[in-house]
């Protein structure tokens, strides 16, 4: 079913013990294709797409995390599902994993994907940001369309998405919901002139222990067009959208921001 179907978006592969063993993966992966025939791919340690490499995932691929590990993209990721055959990044045997982390200035594209069960926490504050997606680096470009970012968490900020250090992310027709940050930015935390665009997205039911239940923009650049930001909660400031700092910019057009 479509990842934009609310019932589909709450499926947790960890609840299905009959899922086949699939293919075990860890470490660096060279340029190549993960196929639906070999799915699910069961992550037993940190996976890295190194600089200069491109990993392609076929529609129907499930990536299940049997380890509390991140999925590190220093090269490029092409994960393009279809409405009837999506791509999923979900917890497997592990209770949580460390999210999709893009850096080092390459371009990636994802469509019809679901990212759930990520929990950013580690030795540094930055390790504890970006439970679903973490985008960093001046040349890093990530486009995501018709996808669901649901049920992720961060021990610091940016439970759904964290943008930093000049990275650029474009999210179109996506649902960002039910993510929780211990500090700022339940749906998004954006800083250091990272440039994040949302078009026709729904950002709802996210929570933050401090500021920005839906999103918090601190010296970053955000653009929202045709979006709905609703039913988000912050314990301190900005239940829906927080914007502050001297260098950032926020552009909001034809959006509904209500009931936060």
């Amino acid at each position: 079913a479509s990842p934009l179907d609310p019932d589909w978006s709450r499926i947790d592969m960890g609840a299905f013990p009959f899922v086949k063993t699939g293919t075990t993966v860890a470490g660096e992966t060279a340029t190549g294709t993960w196929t639906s025939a070999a799915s699910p791919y069961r992550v037993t340690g940190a996976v890295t797409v190194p600089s200069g490499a491109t990993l392609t995932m076929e529609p129907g691929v499930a990536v299940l995390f049997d380890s509390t590990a991140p999925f590190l993209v220093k090269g490029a990721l092409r994960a393009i599902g279809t409405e009837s055959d999506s791509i999923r990044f979900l917890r497997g045997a592990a209770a949580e994993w460390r999210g999709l982390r893009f850096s080092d200035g390459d371009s990636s594209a994802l469509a019809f994907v679901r990212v759930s069960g990520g929990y950013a926490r580690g030795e540094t504050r930055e390790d504890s940001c970006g439970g679903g997606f973490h985008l960093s680096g001046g040349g890093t470009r990530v486009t995501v369309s018709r996808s669901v970012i649901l049920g992720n968490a961060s021990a610091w900020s940016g439970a759904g998405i964290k943008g930093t250090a000049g990275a650029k992310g474009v999210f179109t027709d996506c649902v960002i919901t039910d993510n929780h940050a211990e500090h700022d930015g339940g749906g998004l935390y954006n800083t250091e002139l990272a440039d994040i665009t949302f078009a026709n997205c729904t950002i709802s039911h996210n929570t933050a222990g401090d500021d920005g239940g839906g999103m918090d923009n601190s010296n970053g650049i955000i653009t929202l067009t045709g979006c709905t930001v609703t039913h988000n909660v912050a314990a301190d400031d900005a239940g829906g959208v927080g914007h502050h700092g001297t260098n950032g910019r926020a552009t909001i057009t034809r959006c509904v921001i209500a009931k936060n």
Side-chain angles (χ1 to χ4, degrees):
S2 168
L4 299 184
D5 182 320
D7 291 334
W8 180 94
S9 70
R10 284 166 174 78
I11 293 173
D12 189 332
M13 293 298 292
F16 293 88
F18 55 81
V19 171
K20 68 178 183 179
T21 301
T23 304
T24 299
V25 291
E28 285 197 350
T29 177
T31 292
T33 300
W34 287 9
T35 66
S36 58
S39 179
Y41 288 82
R42 308 202 72 109
V43 178
T44 57
V47 171
T48 302
V49 182
S51 297
T54 298
L55 175 62
T56 300
M57 294 184 181
E58 291 183 347
V61 164
V63 184
L64 306 182
F65 288 81
D66 294 340
S67 167
T68 55
F71 195 103
L72 306 169
V73 182
K74 297 181 178 181
L77 175 64
R78 302 282 184 268
I80 310 297
T82 67
E83 185 169 4
S84 61
D85 211 5
S86 58
I87 295 170
R88 292 143 290 169
F89 297 86
L90 307 171
R91 69 179 185 89
E96 63 202 36
W97 55 290
R98 297 292 177 261
L100 298 173
R101 305 184 75 86
F102 297 83
S103 63
D104 286 11
D106 211 328
S107 296
S108 294
L110 300 88
F112 290 105
V113 303
R114 178 189 155 181
V115 177
S116 290
Y119 183 15
R121 59 189 178 98
E123 295 182 359
T124 69
R125 178 178 294 189
E126 204 57 39
D127 289 339
S128 298
C129 296
F133 283 79
H134 187 285
L135 316 181
S136 66
T140 300
R141 301 290 182 267
V142 180
T143 62
V144 183
S145 62
R146 296 185 177 274
S147 297
V148 168
I149 304 166
L150 175 148
N152 302 287
S154 64
W156 199 261
S157 299
I161 305 160
K162 167 69 184 288
T164 189
K168 183 176 180 63
V170 177
F171 296 82
T172 305
D173 296 315
C174 292
V175 175
I176 299 100
T177 188
D178 291 333
N179 303 288
H180 174 70
E182 292 296 320
H183 290 273
D184 304 320
L188 164 74
Y189 184 71
N190 198 43
T191 189
E192 293 182 356
L193 294 179
D195 186 346
I196 306 295
T197 295
F198 295 104
N200 302 319
C201 291
T202 297
I203 299 106
S204 68
H205 298 280
N206 302 289
T207 57
D210 288 327
D211 301 336
M215 62 184 68
D216 193 45
N217 187 48
S218 175
N219 289 309
I221 301 166
I222 58 170
T223 303
L224 282 74
T225 305
C227 294
T228 299
V229 183
T230 184
H231 292 99
N232 302 285
V233 176
D236 197 350
D237 297 325
V241 179
H243 173 64
H244 52 96
T246 58
N247 298 317
R249 184 173 71 248
T251 304
I252 300 174
T253 308
R254 301 195 315 275
C255 292
V256 175
I257 302 176
K259 298 183 179 180
N260 300 290

